[in-house]
Amino acid sequence: MTSVLLGEGAQAAGEPAEPLAAFDRAIAADERIEPRDWMPDDYRSTLVRQMAQHAHSEIIGMQPEANWITRAPSLRRKAILMAKVQDEAGHGLYLYSAAETLGTSRDELLDKLHSGRQKYSSIFNYPTLTWADVGAIGWLVDGAAITNQVPLCRCSYGPYARAMIRICKEESFHQRQGFELLLALSRGTEAQHAMAQDAVDRWWWPSLMMFGPPDDESAHSARSMEWKIKRHSNDELRQRFVDICVPQAEALGLTLPDPELSWNESRGHWDFGPIDWEEFRQVLKGNGPCNEERLRRRREAHENGAWVRDAAAAYAAKNAAPGRGRVREQDLTETAVSA
Ligand SMILES: [Fe+2]
Ligand SMILES: [Fe+2]
């Protein structure tokens, strides 16, 4: 869309005569909106809110699983889990960077997370009680994330859509490692099988809540769909996820904790039981089992990382100084010292 809106010599400010009409046309034509394009204020603020919440979820989501890195049962499992947790940090970085293209800053967004003014996904307020939880998170939580995020690869905002392409590839690895971990446990000893089943029992319903409230209660959904930020409703995506999981649970030799699950021939989908939305609301309000701990640890990590940010800023300032690009006396001295 950039070519339509920018570079018009007659428009001194680089803004077209009818910015809203141009924006609407671009959305209707399924074109991408880019950072320098004109966009309605509400479109911008909706994106900032959604991308920030997404970025926060990625970095808070590192905590429940990082809890198990030192206790992974083998070197192979430890390497896989470390790679996954590092991926989540990377996802946070792509998304904060993408959000910055809308005129906000990472500092501002982190500040809102730390002060509780912006949310992260409620799922990360549940504890990881056993090793099997690592498998259940990969299979169900990352699986739900993929179901949500694959359509975001076609989101109307270019930087968000492009960030999602790589994120989805990595999420797919996360989902598979979780499935494979659960399969190993399910086929293991009786105690291992029971541990896998217990983890699935605890993570199933919170995973369904990850798709957000039902469509008729979802405040922002309709407009986000008009703007093609969202492509499918919460309930549609939730149903898609249930339909994917039922045969996978069977392959795992595990059951899903819902007595009302049954194939509905006329709908061509699996029916499922009612979700406890009161629990969802309580966790969102801060009353989940781990809300306090997650935020406290996030704030601590931020404070403990202050020296890294200072050092990075000092290094960047040094490299931006005049004389950069020539060999400077100071550099030679430093080289000599470190050699
Ligand atoms: Fe992620
Ligand atoms: Fe993930």
Side-chain angles (χ1 to χ4, degrees), residues 58 65 84 87-88 91 141-142 145 167 170-172 174-175:
E58 299 285 355
E65 290 183 285
K84 181 193 189 267
D87 281 353
E88 305 301 4
H91 298 173
V141 177
D142 290 277
I167 289 178
E170 294 176 349
E171 295 300 355
S172 158
H174 299 171
Q175 194 267 356

Side-chain angles (χ1 to χ4, degrees), residues 57-327:
S57 303
E58 299 285 355
I59 62 168
I60 293 276
M62 296 168 72
Q63 290 185 34
E65 290 183 285
N67 179 35
W68 281 93
I69 289 176
T70 55
R71 292 175 287 169
S74 69
L75 183 60
R76 175 173 169 268
R77 291 291 178 200
K78 182 182 267 199
I80 293 171
L81 183 54
M82 283 175 67
K84 181 193 189 267
V85 172
Q86 284 179 348
D87 281 353
E88 305 301 4
H91 298 173
L93 291 185
Y94 310 154
L95 289 164
Y96 285 122
S97 300
E100 283 185 319
T101 65
L102 290 162
T104 181
S105 73
R106 199 163 130 198
D107 278 350
E108 188 184 336
L109 298 178
L110 284 174
D111 198 48
K112 287 182 174 161
L113 168 65
H114 297 153
S115 60
R117 280 175 293 154
Q118 279 179 344
K119 303 257 180 248
Y120 55 89
S121 175
S122 59
I123 192 84
F124 299 117
N125 292 314
Y126 291 87
T128 41
L129 304 179
T130 72
W131 169 251
D133 288 24
V134 171
I137 290 180
W139 177 43
L140 295 173
V141 177
D142 290 277
I146 295 170
T147 310
N148 248 329
Q149 292 171 8
V150 164
L152 286 174
C153 297
R154 294 187 297 123
C155 163
S156 59
Y157 188 57
Y160 195 22
R162 289 188 289 274
M164 291 319 301
I165 291 171
R166 177 159 172 183
I167 289 178
C168 283
K169 286 182 181 161
E170 294 176 349
E171 295 300 355
S172 158
F173 151 65
H174 299 171
Q175 194 267 356
R176 283 168 196 215
Q177 65 84 37
F179 183 89
E180 196 258 347
L181 194 167
L182 282 179
L183 188 64
L185 288 176
S186 178
R187 292 180 176 172
T189 64
E190 214 172 288
Q192 286 171 326
H193 181 91
M195 185 165 70
Q197 183 61 59
D198 168 65
V200 169
D201 289 348
R202 282 181 289 109
W203 289 93
W204 172 248
W205 291 108
S207 299
L208 294 192
M209 296 173 195
M210 282 176 71
F211 296 91
D215 292 349
D216 47 7
E217 289 171 32
S218 179
H220 308 291
S221 266
R223 204 169 48 172
S224 284
M225 284 178 66
E226 268 168 40
W227 279 331
K228 297 186 181 169
I229 295 173
K230 268 183 89 129
R231 299 276 178 167
H232 308 280
S233 76
N234 295 353
D235 287 333
E236 260 173 67
L237 291 169
R238 189 169 7 250
Q239 180 69 61
R240 187 179 293 181
F241 178 67
V242 172
D243 291 348
I244 291 170
C245 286
V246 173
Q248 290 186 353
E250 201 176 317
L252 282 170
L254 298 170
T255 55
L256 297 171
D258 180 357
E260 293 183 42
L261 261 182
S262 67
W263 176 250
N264 184 322
E265 190 66 49
S266 62
R267 288 202 311 124
H269 291 290
W270 287 87
D271 287 337
F272 54 96
I275 293 171
D276 181 356
W277 290 114
E278 185 47 32
E279 175 181 322
F280 178 71
R281 276 186 284 274
Q282 285 303 324
V283 178
L284 269 192
K285 266 168 69 183
N287 301 327
C290 302
N291 294 57
E292 250 169 66
E293 181 190 336
R294 299 293 186 237
L295 262 189
R296 181 171 42 78
R297 295 216 37 203
R298 175 87 270 290
R299 289 192 203 105
E300 277 168 16
H302 190 71
E303 282 158 24
N304 292 338
W307 70 272
V308 179
R309 292 189 295 279
D310 290 347
Y315 182 76
K318 183 177 132 186
N319 279 345
R324 166 94 177 107
R326 281 181 315 208
V327 177

